[in-house]
Amino acid sequence: MQKQPTIRDVAQAAGVSVAVVSRVLNPGSGPVAAATRGRVNEVMKNLGYHPRTAARELKYGPPTTLGLLLADVSNPFFARLADRVVQEAHSRGIQVLLMTTQEDDQLESERLATLIERRVSGIIATPTGNNLATWKQLQDLGTEVVFVDRSIPSLPEVDVVSIDNFESARAATALLAAHGHRRIGIISGPASSTTGRDRIAGYRQALETAGLEPDELLIRHAAFRGPAGGDAASALLNIEEPPTALVVANTAQVTEVLRRLSHAGIDIPGRLSVIVFEDSPWTELMTPALTIVKQPIDLLARHSVQLALSNTQGKTSEKRNVIRVAAELVERSSVARLQLSK
Amino acid sequence: MQKQPTIRDVAQAAGVSVAVVSRVLNPGSGPVAAATRGRVNEVMKNLGYHPRTAARELKYGPPTTLGLLLADVSNPFFARLADRVVQEAHSRGIQVLLMTTQEDDQLESERLATLIERRVSGIIATPTGNNLATWKQLQDLGTEVVFVDRSIPSLPEVDVVSIDNFESARAATALLAAHGHRRIGIISGPASSTTGRDRIAGYRQALETAGLEPDELLIRHAAFRGPAGGDAASALLNIEEPPTALVVANTAQVTEVLRRLSHAGIDIPGRLSVIVFEDSPWTELMTPALTIVKQPIDLLARHSVQLALSNTQGKTSEKRNVIRVAAELVERSSVARLQLSK
DNA sequence: ACATAAAAGTGTACCGGTTCCACTTATTTT
DNA sequence: AAAATAAGTGGAACCGGTACACTTTTATGT
């Protein structure tokens, strides 16, 4: 284990001053004779020299690191988002520090503290909904904060990138109504989350447009983690007048819900039509292939990274950015047309 | 956007020297009177002071950051691995820099350069198989390198954590043989990858034990990305004497293969029995529920992090570590017992 | 009370880069 | 040919922490 050469070692070996080496390292920061540049480069290669990022960052804050704070990377939606964010960031020469909260605000708080200490230039996050003061502090410190997928209404000054939750749930519900369903259930995220609430709101809107009376028994909020989604599904199946159609608007709970339906021996779409907010490849492989609401993850990632870096890149737009991208309703085979026998 | 207070600001406001503040920051590094400690903490809180990691890292290399270099986080296997690695690292106060290679050795090379500049203490990676010199350099520099899932045979000094690829493929193949299958196909990773090769080797071993003659037409290597798996599946279905059973040992290509089988209208397990290397929840939701080889991702993650940090934590074990954990064959409904009509 | 030891606190060099400014040497202008 | 300008290089301060060597204060023992 050899010890790393420093810029001074390079300077000495090349017979120049450290200032010159630094200029070679940062083209455009000053003039260097072509011959000198070549010699220095040669020496750097021979010595296996790599400038140390930590030292570099000490002088000026690091626009080279982004924090990506997600609830849970084992959720395919977040995993794909992470993948795209990382790619997008790399294409701009930015690195990504990945952190997870497990939807736990205490953990979130610790992660945020770390990100502050790292002086990351931007943070892309799916907030738990708490730690308001910390989020505010981050912004005051000049860190560009971008909420993705969800947001926190009481932090109206933070940028947000998400799909149009209201509209996508409305469209899904409207599709079911158009197929003749009158008892339409929905399982959404917790009421404390914006996605959870907004999707329910879209659902209600669709019911109203279709002239259907909302039944609170058909509306379920479920936590993102644990068996909550499955329990909600079971509960829905056991009410007096069970639904003939179900919107699973809680992405993290889709497999839980489907598992429960499967164990209960529910025929899809014969007994229950289903639309899920989830566009993993497997939704197409199921029997029947699931009708889904597809989130344009690429766009979410691209916009998030762009916003998270916008401040750093100089063009500090003073006003807040809210980007809503459209989700796509992909019709497959899990929605049945109901015979109107009444 | 206020500018950040430094340790000197804190020292001045608290009426002490920077050394004392530093001691408060690093308990155990020296004596501080309880009253002083309280006062300094108070001032730090009021000023919103957070010590800057970059400055801290400058003096001693950072055992606070790990590099996680994966092929692709949108692959559920890697996603879950990332999730566990991040959790495991966080529980030890370590941060994770996530990078992806898209199986491209050029990109891998660039990512490695970045990791060198960051002086990360350890790297957990799924190597593409190239960049041998860089991997070696990393080790010489004292970076703890751990290959996970795959390895590079020509780098025998690098730690490896993976499942027993040979044995898991052997077991899967043996199960099919025990169910009476004599034409067993396999789609594995590329021949350039250790997983690709080792699983094929296990497959051959199982055939031999079962007294079956290997047929090269039934053995397919497919790239991890793109439509290669699907193409391999199609090819297998179109040979003169097609298989009655298939092992999909290329995790990244499982959905591709299944999609192709589905489009071809293949009845599983009626016409083709299937075992896949993939344990996402959806494999249980399929009709029929898939028989799978389940990788103990928790263990892989835990061991990887442990090894990646072992050097740093002082206990420099001079010899190389190779950790092989057992995969579990979970029998469900996608394997049919064949009537031996011959 | 007085020596002595332990505790508390301070000053400052250092980590490895970047950059400002001064300085020397070449090149151009008139 | 002298003066002005540009190009190339070097010296040293600085970024924000850490830790060593040292001084001052407080506690302990007889």
Side-chain angles (χ1 to χ4, degrees):
Chain A
M1 165 165 159
Q2 70 210 43
K3 64 173 167 306
Q4 309 263 46
T6 73
I7 197 171
R8 283 162 235 268
D9 297 327
V10 174
Q12 184 165 22
V16 295
S17 70
V18 295
V20 172
V21 180
S22 178
R23 286 194 203 115
V24 172
L25 246 26
N26 306 61
S29 63
V32 183
T36 312
R37 159 169 284 114
R39 186 153 39 92
V40 171
N41 278 321
E42 183 72 18
V43 169
M44 292 200 300
K45 195 181 301 170
N46 291 342
L47 261 49
Y49 170 75
H50 289 272
R52 203 164 142 178
T53 308
R56 208 171 239 177
E57 288 187 350
L58 191 50
K59 210 157 173 82
Y60 308 101
T64 70
T65 313
L66 264 187
L68 178 59
L69 185 61
L70 299 177
D72 175 3
V73 195
S74 61
N75 174 331
F77 171 68
F78 291 136
R80 305 228 309 283
L81 184 62
D83 191 60
R84 309 310 311 214
V85 164
V86 166
Q87 280 190 55
E88 196 66 38
H90 282 174
S91 75
R92 299 163 188 240
I94 303 288
Q95 268 62 59
V96 175
L97 213 46
L98 176 65
M99 324 198 112
T100 58
T101 65
Q102 270 77 246
E103 306 282 4
D104 177 332
D105 51 13
Q106 182 55 44
L107 287 180
E108 179 177 79
S109 167
E110 292 173 23
R111 306 295 170 256
L112 289 179
T114 309
L115 290 171
I116 290 179
E117 296 185 357
R118 295 251 174 194
R119 302 290 193 275
V120 295
S121 52
I123 299 182
I124 298 174
T126 54
T128 62
N130 290 65
N131 298 310
L132 297 193
T134 313
W135 287 118
K136 213 162 281 176
Q137 184 191 4
L138 247 339
Q139 280 209 314
D140 292 343
L141 258 31
T143 309
E144 189 65 25
V145 178
V146 180
F147 289 156
V148 65
D149 180 54
R150 334 170 178 167
S151 62
I152 301 182
S154 47
L155 287 176
E157 66 279 11
V158 177
D159 292 351
V160 180
V161 178
S162 76
I163 61 165
D164 189 331
N165 287 301
F166 180 94
E167 170 56 22
S168 52
R170 193 207 58 73
T173 311
L175 177 72
L176 293 170
H179 277 67
H181 292 275
R182 318 213 72 75
R183 297 286 294 167
I184 304 172
I186 184 168
I187 298 176
S188 191
S192 59
S193 69
T194 51
T195 48
R197 286 198 306 276
D198 293 351
R199 292 177 189 175
I200 295 286
Y203 161 88
R204 288 183 191 277
Q205 169 73 56
L207 289 193
E208 187 177 328
T209 303
L212 297 175
E213 207 54 41
D215 178 348
E216 298 306 321
L217 284 177
L218 291 175
I219 300 175
R220 306 277 167 169
H221 287 287
F224 291 125
R225 300 177 68 83
D231 294 345
S234 297
L236 277 177
L237 294 175
N238 288 324
I239 63 178
E240 198 153 336
E241 199 182 344
T244 61
L246 175 63
V247 178
V248 187
N250 182 330
T251 298
Q253 291 288 331
V254 166
T255 50
E256 276 299 319
V257 170
L258 292 176
R259 188 198 315 276
R260 201 65 73 95
L261 296 179
S262 162
H263 284 180
I266 303 294
D267 173 36
I268 300 173
R271 183 155 146 213
L272 186 71
S273 291
V274 171
I275 298 180
V276 300
F277 276 61
E278 161 72 277
D279 69 328
S280 292
W282 60 264
T283 54
E284 199 182 346
L285 297 173
M286 301 267 308
T287 316
L290 299 179
T291 291
I292 63 168
V293 174
K294 179 176 189 163
Q295 305 212 32
I297 294 183
D298 278 39
L299 282 179
L300 293 177
R302 193 160 326 135
H303 283 128
S304 304
V305 173
Q306 193 176 323
L307 286 181
L309 260 29
S310 63
N311 215 348
T312 317
Q313 317 249 311
K315 35 175 177 170
T316 316
S317 58
E318 267 318 313
K319 49 189 274 288
R320 178 206 193 200
N321 294 289
V322 176
I323 297 184
R324 295 235 178 277
V325 298
E328 185 188 356
L329 187 55
V330 180
E331 293 191 51
R332 296 207 278 240
S333 316
S334 61
V335 174
R337 182 165 295 281
L338 214 61
Q339 304 303 29
L340 297 188
S341 52
K342 63 155 103 175
Chain B
M1 167 166 156
Q2 70 210 45
K3 63 174 167 307
Q4 310 263 48
T6 73
I7 197 172
R8 283 163 235 268
D9 297 327
V10 174
Q12 185 166 21
V16 296
S17 71
V18 294
V20 171
V21 179
S22 178
R23 287 196 197 133
V24 172
L25 245 27
N26 306 60
S29 64
V32 183
T36 312
R37 161 169 286 116
R39 186 154 39 94
V40 170
N41 276 321
E42 183 72 17
V43 169
M44 293 200 298
K45 196 181 301 170
N46 291 341
L47 261 50
Y49 170 75
H50 288 272
R52 203 164 143 178
T53 307
R56 209 172 239 175
E57 287 187 349
L58 190 50
K59 204 150 176 92
Y60 308 101
T64 71
T65 313
L66 264 187
L68 178 60
L69 185 61
L70 299 177
D72 175 3
V73 195
S74 61
N75 174 332
F77 171 69
F78 291 136
R80 306 231 306 286
L81 184 63
D83 191 61
R84 308 310 312 214
V85 165
V86 166
Q87 281 191 53
E88 197 66 39
H90 281 174
S91 76
R92 300 165 186 239
I94 303 288
Q95 268 62 60
V96 175
L97 213 46
L98 175 65
M99 324 198 111
T100 59
T101 65
Q102 270 77 248
E103 306 282 3
D104 177 332
D105 51 13
Q106 182 56 43
L107 286 180
E108 179 177 78
S109 166
E110 292 173 23
R111 305 296 169 254
L112 289 179
T114 307
L115 289 172
I116 290 178
E117 296 184 356
R118 294 251 175 193
R119 303 291 194 273
V120 294
S121 52
I123 299 181
I124 297 174
T126 54
T128 63
N130 289 67
N131 299 310
L132 296 193
T134 313
W135 287 117
K136 212 162 281 175
Q137 185 192 2
L138 246 340
Q139 280 210 314
D140 293 343
L141 258 31
T143 309
E144 189 66 25
V145 178
V146 180
F147 289 156
V148 64
D149 180 54
R150 336 170 177 167
S151 61
I152 302 182
S154 47
L155 286 177
E157 66 279 11
V158 178
D159 292 350
V160 180
V161 177
S162 77
I163 60 164
D164 189 332
N165 287 301
F166 180 94
E167 171 54 23
S168 53
R170 193 206 58 72
T173 311
L175 177 72
L176 293 170
H179 278 66
H181 292 276
R182 317 214 74 74
R183 298 287 294 168
I184 303 172
I186 183 167
I187 297 175
S188 191
S192 59
S193 69
T194 50
T195 48
R197 285 198 307 275
D198 294 350
R199 292 176 189 177
I200 296 285
Y203 162 88
R204 287 184 192 278
Q205 169 72 56
L207 289 192
E208 189 177 325
T209 303
L212 297 174
E213 207 53 42
D215 177 349
E216 298 306 320
L217 284 177
L218 292 175
I219 301 174
R220 306 278 167 168
H221 288 287
F224 290 124
R225 298 177 69 84
D231 294 346
S234 297
L236 277 177
L237 295 175
N238 289 323
I239 63 179
E240 199 153 335
E241 199 181 345
T244 61
L246 175 62
V247 178
V248 186
N250 182 329
T251 297
Q253 290 289 330
V254 167
T255 51
E256 276 298 320
V257 170
L258 292 177
R259 188 197 316 277
R260 201 66 73 96
L261 296 179
S262 162
H263 284 179
I266 303 294
D267 172 37
I268 299 173
R271 184 157 146 212
L272 187 70
S273 291
V274 171
I275 298 180
V276 301
F277 276 61
E278 159 74 277
D279 69 328
S280 292
W282 59 263
T283 55
E284 199 183 345
L285 297 174
M286 301 267 308
T287 316
L290 299 179
T291 291
I292 64 167
V293 173
K294 179 176 190 163
Q295 304 211 31
I297 294 183
D298 278 38
L299 282 179
L300 294 177
R302 193 159 327 135
H303 283 129
S304 303
V305 172
Q306 193 175 323
L307 286 181
L309 260 29
S310 64
N311 215 347
T312 317
Q313 316 249 314
K315 35 177 178 172
T316 317
S317 58
E318 268 317 315
K319 49 190 277 286
R320 177 208 194 202
N321 295 288
V322 176
I323 297 184
R324 294 233 179 279
V325 297
E328 184 189 355
L329 187 54
V330 180
E331 293 191 52
R332 296 208 278 240
S333 316
S334 62
V335 174
R337 183 164 294 282
L338 216 61
Q339 302 304 29
L340 298 187
S341 53
K342 63 154 101 171

